[in-house]
Amino acid sequence: MGSCLSFTPSLLPRGGIIQGVVWGISAIIGYGVGVLLASIWRAFADRDPRPPRPWAWRAWWISSAVLLVVFFGLGQYWQYLIRHMMGVSEYDVWLVVLSPLVAVAVFWLVLLIGRGIRAVFRWTAERLDRRIGHRAARTVGWLLVAGVTYLVITGLLLQGLVGLANDIFSVRDGATPEGVHQPTSSLRSGGPGSLVPWDTLGRQGRGFVGTGPTPQAITAFDHHPAMEPIRAYAGLGSADDTEARAQLAVADLERAGAFHRKNLLVVTTTGSGWVDPAAVDSFEYLSGGDSATVAIQYSYLPSWISYLVDQSKAREAGRDLFDAIYGVWSRLPQADRPHLYVAGESLGSFGGETAFSGENDLANRTAGTLFVGPPNFNTLFREFSDHRDPGSPEIQPVYKDGRTVRFTSDPAAAIPPSGKPWSGTRVLYLMHPSDPIVWWSPHLVFSEPDWIAETPGQDVLKGTVWIPFVTFWQVTADLPFSTGVPAGHGHTYTAEYVDGWNTVLQPSGISAQDLDRLKTIIASE
């Protein structure tokens, strides 16, 4: 049954290899549950295992084959519907044909690992049995084997793989993205007079300061003379720790005159130091170039690995950078301060949140906030969502009548609660219903989340159901491919930044036609 249930739909389309992995894991879970139930039954019946009768084997093989064929066909139909809904045309039939072999390989690999652990337990229990009681030997044996297994997985395997990944990506960090050159403007870190050397910025930092809209491009968009935006950045090679990098980036902001601009944006990066160009470019266009943006790097690892192992570094980076900015900003005369904004995508939203204690703190210390694709473990995101107003769904919650914090999957549409005032600081969370980064949680193993129990979002297949264990592995398998779908779905956010920042900044003189033109510009970049 576990094999059959693996074909049920989740958030994103699954290729043949991923389906095979989910299939194999679900099958081994079903096998394990069956073995457990059989052992419980034998314990209550007080009898040893008996070989199955021939007719039982025939019935099992026939029913399994029929069910598997039916669910395999249904699975292909469900995947077709998801691909069609998201506009995904890629489909490799040979990988689908290969999926049963992948499932068998995964099943036997996990089964052999499990039996190997059991063999180690029996060997340990036999030796302990010579010195202590039989029951005590089995109990102590299980504890020892479980403890050693945990240490091997979390210590040798996980930390070893993370260390290897860190070494690999640290080499890549020394490269410069194609088409990016050292700035010739003193308004960019790494440029003339900058306090941050170009060669310390890292790959993502060089991409950040070496790109962006020019004053001419901004002027062509809003038909007003534009300033050149300021961008400051500090990479892992720029200073020894996050606090020192934050101080260095702020010092470079001051050197460039950022605190005399109208708008100042603090961005917490994703794992490798990446800042989504769509986020900052949209901000700069809608600010008429009268803006400054600052960010720092805290890891070499890409976002999906940092998402699992580098959360503490993201927390430190978000807090240290905002505190450094706020320390300078708060000492300025109130009439001369720039409007202070905060942004972060994915793990960056997690880091960005850590600088604040809650809704009131966000309202008191910022002019506006845009958090995009927040991971499910974000502290403030969970607080706002879990304490949402009665009747509002988890995929678009309403928190305290939307007085400060609001949520949307489409910032171009009306953001609930419609008709309610939204004055002062605006804090906006943007999240797609099909984004596995937003909805993945360990709780999926044993409990059904509200976002599945409620009416599904506009890009989630109707009929999606929660299945213990299975749904957890399906959504887990969606994570690495969350950005491999067209814009507007999964974890791919591009043109939505235009409407998101327009909602938060509330710039004057921007028409709906202007926003459409800017979306085209951002999407093309």
PDB file of all heavy atoms in Angstrom, residues 209-231:
ATOM      1  N   VAL A 209      26.935  43.730  -6.470  1.00  0.00           N
ATOM      2  CA  VAL A 209      27.393  45.118  -6.657  1.00  0.00           C
ATOM      3  C   VAL A 209      27.720  45.421  -8.114  1.00  0.00           C
ATOM      4  O   VAL A 209      27.787  46.592  -8.507  1.00  0.00           O
ATOM      5  CB  VAL A 209      28.623  45.425  -5.774  1.00  0.00           C
ATOM      6  CG1 VAL A 209      28.292  45.210  -4.308  1.00  0.00           C
ATOM      7  CG2 VAL A 209      29.829  44.574  -6.178  1.00  0.00           C
ATOM      8  N   GLY A 210      27.920  44.370  -8.930  1.00  0.00           N
ATOM      9  CA  GLY A 210      28.296  44.595 -10.322  1.00  0.00           C
ATOM     10  C   GLY A 210      27.138  44.618 -11.291  1.00  0.00           C
ATOM     11  O   GLY A 210      27.344  44.701 -12.504  1.00  0.00           O
ATOM     12  N   THR A 211      25.919  44.553 -10.779  1.00  0.00           N
ATOM     13  CA  THR A 211      24.734  44.576 -11.640  1.00  0.00           C
ATOM     14  C   THR A 211      23.721  45.570 -11.079  1.00  0.00           C
ATOM     15  O   THR A 211      23.971  46.245 -10.088  1.00  0.00           O
ATOM     16  CB  THR A 211      24.089  43.182 -11.736  1.00  0.00           C
ATOM     17  OG1 THR A 211      23.743  42.734 -10.406  1.00  0.00           O
ATOM     18  CG2 THR A 211      25.046  42.177 -12.356  1.00  0.00           C
ATOM     19  N   GLY A 212      22.567  45.621 -11.706  1.00  0.00           N
ATOM     20  CA  GLY A 212      21.493  46.490 -11.235  1.00  0.00           C
ATOM     21  C   GLY A 212      21.158  47.555 -12.256  1.00  0.00           C
ATOM     22  O   GLY A 212      21.929  47.822 -13.197  1.00  0.00           O
ATOM     23  N   PRO A 213      20.005  48.193 -12.113  1.00  0.00           N
ATOM     24  CA  PRO A 213      19.572  49.204 -13.088  1.00  0.00           C
ATOM     25  C   PRO A 213      20.434  50.467 -13.023  1.00  0.00           C
ATOM     26  O   PRO A 213      20.841  50.903 -11.947  1.00  0.00           O
ATOM     27  CB  PRO A 213      18.130  49.501 -12.672  1.00  0.00           C
ATOM     28  CG  PRO A 213      18.065  49.139 -11.228  1.00  0.00           C
ATOM     29  CD  PRO A 213      18.999  47.983 -11.052  1.00  0.00           C
ATOM     30  N   THR A 214      20.713  51.021 -14.166  1.00  0.00           N
ATOM     31  CA  THR A 214      21.470  52.272 -14.249  1.00  0.00           C
ATOM     32  C   THR A 214      20.522  53.457 -14.070  1.00  0.00           C
ATOM     33  O   THR A 214      19.300  53.315 -14.213  1.00  0.00           O
ATOM     34  CB  THR A 214      22.149  52.383 -15.615  1.00  0.00           C
ATOM     35  OG1 THR A 214      21.136  52.437 -16.637  1.00  0.00           O
ATOM     36  CG2 THR A 214      23.068  51.195 -15.866  1.00  0.00           C
ATOM     37  N   PRO A 215      21.060  54.637 -13.770  1.00  0.00           N
ATOM     38  CA  PRO A 215      20.186  55.822 -13.682  1.00  0.00           C
ATOM     39  C   PRO A 215      19.411  56.045 -14.987  1.00  0.00           C
ATOM     40  O   PRO A 215      18.249  56.476 -14.955  1.00  0.00           O
ATOM     41  CB  PRO A 215      21.170  56.960 -13.410  1.00  0.00           C
ATOM     42  CG  PRO A 215      22.342  56.307 -12.761  1.00  0.00           C
ATOM     43  CD  PRO A 215      22.442  54.957 -13.394  1.00  0.00           C
ATOM     44  N   GLN A 216      20.064  55.747 -16.114  1.00  0.00           N
ATOM     45  CA  GLN A 216      19.386  55.940 -17.401  1.00  0.00           C
ATOM     46  C   GLN A 216      18.188  54.988 -17.537  1.00  0.00           C
ATOM     47  O   GLN A 216      17.123  55.373 -18.033  1.00  0.00           O
ATOM     48  CB  GLN A 216      20.367  55.697 -18.549  1.00  0.00           C
ATOM     49  CG  GLN A 216      21.496  56.711 -18.651  1.00  0.00           C
ATOM     50  CD  GLN A 216      22.597  56.494 -17.622  1.00  0.00           C
ATOM     51  OE1 GLN A 216      22.684  55.416 -17.011  1.00  0.00           O
ATOM     52  NE2 GLN A 216      23.427  57.509 -17.415  1.00  0.00           N
ATOM     53  N   ALA A 217      18.355  53.732 -17.081  1.00  0.00           N
ATOM     54  CA  ALA A 217      17.251  52.773 -17.166  1.00  0.00           C
ATOM     55  C   ALA A 217      16.104  53.176 -16.249  1.00  0.00           C
ATOM     56  O   ALA A 217      14.924  53.043 -16.621  1.00  0.00           O
ATOM     57  CB  ALA A 217      17.754  51.375 -16.802  1.00  0.00           C
ATOM     58  N   ILE A 218      16.425  53.656 -15.066  1.00  0.00           N
ATOM     59  CA  ILE A 218      15.377  54.085 -14.123  1.00  0.00           C
ATOM     60  C   ILE A 218      14.655  55.315 -14.670  1.00  0.00           C
ATOM     61  O   ILE A 218      13.424  55.426 -14.582  1.00  0.00           O
ATOM     62  CB  ILE A 218      15.992  54.364 -12.742  1.00  0.00           C
ATOM     63  CG1 ILE A 218      16.622  53.086 -12.177  1.00  0.00           C
ATOM     64  CG2 ILE A 218      14.919  54.881 -11.782  1.00  0.00           C
ATOM     65  CD1 ILE A 218      17.379  53.300 -10.879  1.00  0.00           C
ATOM     66  N   THR A 219      15.419  56.243 -15.253  1.00  0.00           N
ATOM     67  CA  THR A 219      14.810  57.442 -15.841  1.00  0.00           C
ATOM     68  C   THR A 219      13.883  57.063 -16.995  1.00  0.00           C
ATOM     69  O   THR A 219      12.789  57.619 -17.135  1.00  0.00           O
ATOM     70  CB  THR A 219      15.909  58.393 -16.345  1.00  0.00           C
ATOM     71  OG1 THR A 219      16.709  58.818 -15.248  1.00  0.00           O
ATOM     72  CG2 THR A 219      15.303  59.618 -17.020  1.00  0.00           C
ATOM     73  N   ALA A 220      14.315  56.105 -17.805  1.00  0.00           N
ATOM     74  CA  ALA A 220      13.468  55.671 -18.926  1.00  0.00           C
ATOM     75  C   ALA A 220      12.179  55.043 -18.432  1.00  0.00           C
ATOM     76  O   ALA A 220      11.150  55.107 -19.107  1.00  0.00           O
ATOM     77  CB  ALA A 220      14.242  54.680 -19.800  1.00  0.00           C
ATOM     78  N   PHE A 221      12.215  54.451 -17.227  1.00  0.00           N
ATOM     79  CA  PHE A 221      11.011  53.820 -16.680  1.00  0.00           C
ATOM     80  C   PHE A 221      10.028  54.846 -16.137  1.00  0.00           C
ATOM     81  O   PHE A 221       8.842  54.843 -16.498  1.00  0.00           O
ATOM     82  CB  PHE A 221      11.390  52.831 -15.582  1.00  0.00           C
ATOM     83  CG  PHE A 221      10.246  52.453 -14.683  1.00  0.00           C
ATOM     84  CD1 PHE A 221       9.199  51.686 -15.155  1.00  0.00           C
ATOM     85  CD2 PHE A 221      10.207  52.883 -13.357  1.00  0.00           C
ATOM     86  CE1 PHE A 221       8.127  51.355 -14.338  1.00  0.00           C
ATOM     87  CE2 PHE A 221       9.154  52.556 -12.534  1.00  0.00           C
ATOM     88  CZ  PHE A 221       8.106  51.791 -13.023  1.00  0.00           C
ATOM     89  N   ASP A 222      10.498  55.754 -15.248  1.00  0.00           N
ATOM     90  CA  ASP A 222       9.531  56.662 -14.597  1.00  0.00           C
ATOM     91  C   ASP A 222       9.551  58.086 -15.158  1.00  0.00           C
ATOM     92  O   ASP A 222       8.810  58.948 -14.667  1.00  0.00           O
ATOM     93  CB  ASP A 222       9.752  56.677 -13.082  1.00  0.00           C
ATOM     94  CG  ASP A 222      11.077  57.306 -12.676  1.00  0.00           C
ATOM     95  OD1 ASP A 222      11.824  57.797 -13.545  1.00  0.00           O
ATOM     96  OD2 ASP A 222      11.364  57.306 -11.464  1.00  0.00           O
ATOM     97  N   HIS A 223      10.412  58.337 -16.171  1.00  0.00           N
ATOM     98  CA  HIS A 223      10.429  59.630 -16.868  1.00  0.00           C
ATOM     99  C   HIS A 223      10.786  60.793 -15.950  1.00  0.00           C
ATOM    100  O   HIS A 223      10.366  61.928 -16.188  1.00  0.00           O
ATOM    101  CB  HIS A 223       9.075  59.896 -17.548  1.00  0.00           C
ATOM    102  CG  HIS A 223       8.631  58.781 -18.442  1.00  0.00           C
ATOM    103  ND1 HIS A 223       9.308  58.401 -19.577  1.00  0.00           N
ATOM    104  CD2 HIS A 223       7.565  57.935 -18.340  1.00  0.00           C
ATOM    105  CE1 HIS A 223       8.684  57.377 -20.161  1.00  0.00           C
ATOM    106  NE2 HIS A 223       7.622  57.068 -19.430  1.00  0.00           N
ATOM    107  N   HIS A 224      11.560  60.499 -14.902  1.00  0.00           N
ATOM    108  CA  HIS A 224      12.092  61.546 -14.016  1.00  0.00           C
ATOM    109  C   HIS A 224      13.592  61.319 -13.855  1.00  0.00           C
ATOM    110  O   HIS A 224      14.049  60.172 -13.858  1.00  0.00           O
ATOM    111  CB  HIS A 224      11.415  61.505 -12.640  1.00  0.00           C
ATOM    112  CG  HIS A 224       9.967  61.869 -12.662  1.00  0.00           C
ATOM    113  ND1 HIS A 224       8.963  60.945 -12.855  1.00  0.00           N
ATOM    114  CD2 HIS A 224       9.344  63.069 -12.520  1.00  0.00           C
ATOM    115  CE1 HIS A 224       7.783  61.547 -12.829  1.00  0.00           C
ATOM    116  NE2 HIS A 224       7.983  62.842 -12.620  1.00  0.00           N
ATOM    117  N   PRO A 225      14.359  62.386 -13.734  1.00  0.00           N
ATOM    118  CA  PRO A 225      15.802  62.207 -13.534  1.00  0.00           C
ATOM    119  C   PRO A 225      16.067  61.322 -12.315  1.00  0.00           C
ATOM    120  O   PRO A 225      15.539  61.562 -11.236  1.00  0.00           O
ATOM    121  CB  PRO A 225      16.311  63.640 -13.314  1.00  0.00           C
ATOM    122  CG  PRO A 225      15.282  64.505 -13.968  1.00  0.00           C
ATOM    123  CD  PRO A 225      13.974  63.807 -13.772  1.00  0.00           C
ATOM    124  N   ALA A 226      16.861  60.290 -12.515  1.00  0.00           N
ATOM    125  CA  ALA A 226      17.092  59.308 -11.445  1.00  0.00           C
ATOM    126  C   ALA A 226      18.516  59.400 -10.919  1.00  0.00           C
ATOM    127  O   ALA A 226      19.451  59.776 -11.636  1.00  0.00           O
ATOM    128  CB  ALA A 226      16.828  57.899 -11.974  1.00  0.00           C
ATOM    129  N   MET A 227      18.659  59.025  -9.658  1.00  0.00           N
ATOM    130  CA  MET A 227      19.969  58.926  -9.034  1.00  0.00           C
ATOM    131  C   MET A 227      20.520  57.515  -9.267  1.00  0.00           C
ATOM    132  O   MET A 227      19.769  56.593  -9.582  1.00  0.00           O
ATOM    133  CB  MET A 227      19.874  59.208  -7.538  1.00  0.00           C
ATOM    134  CG  MET A 227      19.260  60.550  -7.194  1.00  0.00           C
ATOM    135  SD  MET A 227      19.059  60.775  -5.399  1.00  0.00           S
ATOM    136  CE  MET A 227      20.779  60.887  -4.888  1.00  0.00           C
ATOM    137  N   GLU A 228      21.820  57.373  -9.077  1.00  0.00           N
ATOM    138  CA  GLU A 228      22.399  56.033  -9.143  1.00  0.00           C
ATOM    139  C   GLU A 228      22.233  55.357  -7.792  1.00  0.00           C
ATOM    140  O   GLU A 228      22.659  55.885  -6.767  1.00  0.00           O
ATOM    141  CB  GLU A 228      23.884  56.103  -9.499  1.00  0.00           C
ATOM    142  CG  GLU A 228      24.522  54.720  -9.580  1.00  0.00           C
ATOM    143  CD  GLU A 228      26.006  54.756  -9.913  1.00  0.00           C
ATOM    144  OE1 GLU A 228      26.530  55.871 -10.122  1.00  0.00           O
ATOM    145  OE2 GLU A 228      26.625  53.684  -9.937  1.00  0.00           O
ATOM    146  N   PRO A 229      21.606  54.179  -7.748  1.00  0.00           N
ATOM    147  CA  PRO A 229      21.419  53.494  -6.468  1.00  0.00           C
ATOM    148  C   PRO A 229      22.759  53.100  -5.842  1.00  0.00           C
ATOM    149  O   PRO A 229      23.731  52.814  -6.538  1.00  0.00           O
ATOM    150  CB  PRO A 229      20.605  52.250  -6.851  1.00  0.00           C
ATOM    151  CG  PRO A 229      19.985  52.579  -8.171  1.00  0.00           C
ATOM    152  CD  PRO A 229      20.970  53.456  -8.866  1.00  0.00           C
ATOM    153  N   ILE A 230      22.795  53.085  -4.524  1.00  0.00           N
ATOM    154  CA  ILE A 230      23.969  52.657  -3.768  1.00  0.00           C
ATOM    155  C   ILE A 230      23.785  51.197  -3.373  1.00  0.00           C
ATOM    156  O   ILE A 230      22.696  50.786  -2.959  1.00  0.00           O
ATOM    157  CB  ILE A 230      24.157  53.522  -2.503  1.00  0.00           C
ATOM    158  CG1 ILE A 230      24.432  54.975  -2.889  1.00  0.00           C
ATOM    159  CG2 ILE A 230      25.271  52.980  -1.617  1.00  0.00           C
ATOM    160  CD1 ILE A 230      24.438  55.926  -1.705  1.00  0.00           C
ATOM    161  N   ARG A 231      24.853  50.417  -3.503  1.00  0.00           N
ATOM    162  CA  ARG A 231      24.825  49.023  -3.058  1.00  0.00           C
ATOM    163  C   ARG A 231      26.101  48.726  -2.266  1.00  0.00           C
ATOM    164  O   ARG A 231      27.209  48.943  -2.771  1.00  0.00           O
ATOM    165  CB  ARG A 231      24.720  48.061  -4.240  1.00  0.00           C
ATOM    166  CG  ARG A 231      23.377  48.112  -4.969  1.00  0.00           C
ATOM    167  CD  ARG A 231      23.250  46.976  -5.963  1.00  0.00           C
ATOM    168  NE  ARG A 231      21.952  46.995  -6.648  1.00  0.00           N
ATOM    169  CZ  ARG A 231      21.485  46.024  -7.423  1.00  0.00           C
ATOM    170  NH1 ARG A 231      22.249  44.939  -7.622  1.00  0.00           N
ATOM    171  NH2 ARG A 231      20.310  46.109  -8.003  1.00  0.00           N
TER     172      ARG A 231
END
